[in-house]
Amino acid sequence: MTSTPPDSPAMVLIPETELGDIVQRALARMGLAGAHVQAIAKVIVSGQRDACQSHGVYRLISCFDAVRAGKVKLDAEPTVSITSGPIVQVDAQFGFSPLAFERGLPALVEATRRHGLGALVIRRCFHFSALWPEIEAITAHGLAALALTPSHAWVAPAGGNQPLFGTNPIAFGWPRPGPYPYVFDFATSAIARGDLELHRRAGKSLPEGCGVDAAGQPSTDPVEIARGAMLAFGGHKGSALATMVELMAGALIGDWTSQESLAFDDGAGVTPCHGELVLAFDPAAFSGGDGEAQTARAETLLDAITAQGARLPSQRRFAARERSQAEGIAVPAALYAEILRLVS
């Protein structure tokens, strides 16, 4: 049963199974094939469960917009190409990315076990989700992982003021003893595009340094930044990382850069279509035969971070996960009402 937290009247608490049912019904009403409904619902509910508002149920609206624009193939069947080498290739066939990743994951794990490292190349996918669900799916097999993907050309390079890069997230995961891996997932832009959209919908200003308006002047207005350009985090450092993502997850794998993705969009304003590169590493193969000692060394490092009172990446998200599992998943009431209209 849905309830409202007493200290947050703007939120509703929804059991995970109930929210999953609502999300699946919304996706099915969009006309998506059953396998896509299941795969997409998992990542959307996971995002909301972990209090990642920009990648939770809000993304149903992004999916709806992409479907309504006629860009996404609703019944796309990803094709997986496996060779004797470490590279697994998946053609998403212009469908959403979660199913393409699910179909390629078993082959990626097998290739990594066999060669010590593996690469999953996903092409021609509409990608809207966070990368950490994919990273966690790989670390669950005891593997380390790195994922890169471009998006639409929304971000200006350091020293420039015209959109060129995508938000170009990078995610990394390291398997750990216990329930949670070490994971980070962040955009190379100063703020994620989803967060910009949430600020726009709420009529709230962004922090300084997130973007410029159409005239190239600094702005905190999400509407003006959307008309101008977002900025990379950390100036030239974030800009260089964004360039790396364009090269590695665009040019290297034979898929679109963020500029080319935006050109394909042709003004529809929907979820970007491009490729993704996922790399996996087997610690047992890299450790020189002493995996336990290297795992202990890694734990010593991570424990030394938290011993100083510092927080590891994703600790807040993992805490939200436990809270959601105990109390229900928190969803903004206004957004929840909007989602219910998608299934009515």
Side-chain angles (χ1 to χ4, degrees):
M1 176 177 294
T2 301
S3 62
T4 304
D7 59 339
S8 183
M11 305 290 282
V12 293
L13 291 176
I14 309 168
E16 186 167 347
T17 54
E18 181 180 333
L19 183 60
D21 178 67
I22 292 169
V23 170
Q24 289 184 37
R25 285 162 51 202
L27 292 166
R29 283 182 64 88
M30 295 177 199
L32 286 156
H36 282 284
V37 168
Q38 295 290 329
I40 296 169
K42 286 179 186 176
V43 298
I44 286 178
V45 173
S46 293
Q48 198 67 42
R49 177 202 63 200
D50 286 12
C52 297
Q53 299 294 337
S54 62
H55 288 85
V57 295
Y58 159 73
R59 292 293 174 163
L60 275 175
I61 299 170
S62 302
C63 293
F64 178 76
D65 289 343
V67 169
R68 183 173 55 183
K71 292 284 188 179
V72 178
K73 188 174 179 182
L74 303 181
D75 60 351
E77 183 58 38
T79 57
V80 182
S81 298
I82 304 171
T83 68
S84 59
I87 301 175
V88 177
Q89 303 190 46
V90 181
D91 185 345
Q93 307 281 353
F94 292 104
F96 285 117
S97 63
L99 183 61
F101 174 79
E102 281 192 3
R103 293 289 168 82
L105 177 61
L108 172 65
V109 172
E110 182 179 347
T112 306
R113 293 279 187 231
R114 186 167 61 249
H115 298 285
L117 55 83
L120 176 62
V121 174
I122 302 176
R123 297 191 185 91
R124 302 199 301 171
C125 68
F126 284 85
H127 198 288
F128 68 88
S129 59
L131 293 177
W132 58 258
E134 300 176 358
I135 292 295
E136 286 194 36
I138 298 171
T139 58
H141 291 274
L143 306 175
L146 179 68
L148 315 168
T149 186
S151 57
H152 278 340
W154 289 317
V155 181
N161 56 25
Q162 298 299 311
L164 179 63
F165 303 139
T167 53
N168 294 13
I170 299 172
F172 170 77
W174 176 267
R176 301 186 66 190
Y180 302 125
Y182 174 91
V183 177
F184 69 72
D185 178 1
F186 57 77
T188 53
S189 53
I191 190 172
R193 188 70 179 188
D195 285 325
L196 182 146
E197 289 299 318
L198 288 175
H199 279 75
R200 182 189 62 79
R201 287 164 63 88
K204 295 182 178 179
S205 296
L206 292 166
E208 298 278 351
C210 287
V212 296
D213 62 21
Q217 297 302 308
S219 177
T220 60
D221 185 340
V223 175
E224 293 301 320
I225 292 174
R227 292 170 180 160
M230 302 169 69
L231 295 178
F233 81 87
H236 67 281
K237 295 181 180 180
S239 186
L241 288 173
T243 305
M244 178 192 71
V245 173
E246 297 284 345
L247 296 173
M248 295 295 288
L252 178 71
I253 67 171
D255 211 310
W256 288 330
T257 64
S258 295
Q259 274 193 313
E260 292 169 322
S261 175
L262 189 60
F264 171 76
D265 184 79
D266 195 24
V270 301
T271 294
C273 182
H274 46 72
E276 179 182 358
L277 175 62
V278 184
L279 304 175
F281 310 86
D282 187 352
F286 279 85
S287 65
D290 196 2
E292 289 188 8
Q294 305 315 322
T295 295
R297 176 174 284 133
E299 287 302 297
T300 297
L301 170 66
L302 298 176
D303 288 343
I305 295 172
T306 56
Q308 298 184 30
R311 178 174 60 86
L312 295 178
S314 293
Q315 278 189 312
R316 185 178 298 157
R317 185 167 58 79
F318 294 145
R321 181 180 304 181
E322 294 179 358
R323 187 167 59 250
S324 293
Q325 290 169 340
E327 302 173 2
I329 298 175
V331 180
L335 179 60
Y336 181 60
E338 189 172 353
I339 297 309
L340 289 180
R341 287 194 289 271
L342 293 178
V343 300
S344 62

